[in-house]
């Protein structure tokens, strides 16, 4: 089974909240090895930087080095749980971006 860590950029079947569909899209791993069988992963949606920004979005500074095709934002308000076997790693964000995501999540969860 693949192994993932905080900061990995993956391609994941991300669920939509407004319809019964899952679309494979980029996502950021924020926790791995979850669940009774330790095969669940929490991911945050990654979207194009062309989309309207939300509070707590984090910009991916170097999208190409992170494995992303276009300038992108990490949408910290959109989190999903996916099976590790259904995702594939495509890159990783920088330490600075990972830390910005960590701060945004801690801030949101401590409210």
């Amino acid at each position: 089974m693949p192994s993932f860590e905080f900061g990995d950029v993956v391609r994941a079947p991300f669920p939509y909240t407004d319809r019964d569909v899952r679309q494979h899209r980029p996502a950021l791993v924020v926790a791995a090895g979850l669940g009774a069988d330790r095969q669940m992963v929490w991911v945050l949606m990654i979207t194009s930087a062309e989309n309207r920004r939300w509070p707590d979005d984090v910009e991916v500074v170097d999208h190409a080095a992170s494995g992303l095709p276009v300038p992108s934002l990490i949408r910290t308000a959109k989190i999903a749980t996916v099976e590790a076997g259904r995702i594939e790693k495509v890159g990783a964000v920088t330490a600075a971006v990972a830390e910005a995501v960590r701060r945004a999540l801690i801030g949101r969860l401590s409210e």
Side-chain angles (χ1 to χ4, degrees), residues 2-12 14 25-34 39-46 66 68 74-76 78-94 97-99 101-102 105:
S3 153
F4 301 99
E5 59 186 46
F6 185 92
D8 285 347
V9 175
V10 297
R11 186 172 177 273
F14 207 94
R25 62 177 309 120
L28 182 77
V29 172
V30 293
L34 305 170
Q39 297 301 312
M40 303 306 289
V41 179
W42 283 346
V43 296
L44 300 176
M45 175 188 279
I46 297 177
S66 299
L68 298 165
I74 299 165
R75 187 135 291 164
T76 62
K78 291 213 172 190
I79 190 167
T81 304
V82 295
E83 295 175 28
R86 302 193 70 202
I87 63 178
E88 62 180 305
K89 183 176 176 178
V90 297
V93 296
T94 65
V97 170
E99 183 57 29
V101 167
R102 186 183 315 274
L105 288 175

Side-chain angles (χ1 to χ4, degrees), residues 2-77:
S3 153
F4 301 99
E5 59 186 46
F6 185 92
D8 285 347
V9 175
V10 297
R11 186 172 177 273
F14 207 94
Y16 283 87
T17 57
D18 59 347
R19 55 186 177 212
D20 293 332
V21 173
R22 288 180 181 258
Q23 175 184 350
H24 280 82
R25 62 177 309 120
L28 182 77
V29 172
V30 293
L34 305 170
D37 60 1
R38 309 202 39 90
Q39 297 301 312
M40 303 306 289
V41 179
W42 283 346
V43 296
L44 300 176
M45 175 188 279
I46 297 177
T47 190
S48 167
E50 293 179 354
N51 290 322
R52 181 178 56 89
R53 289 188 72 119
W54 289 15
D56 299 325
D57 278 357
V58 175
E59 182 179 356
V60 177
V61 178
D62 187 349
H63 70 278
S66 299
L68 298 165
V70 297
S72 300
L73 301 169
I74 299 165
R75 187 135 291 164
T76 62

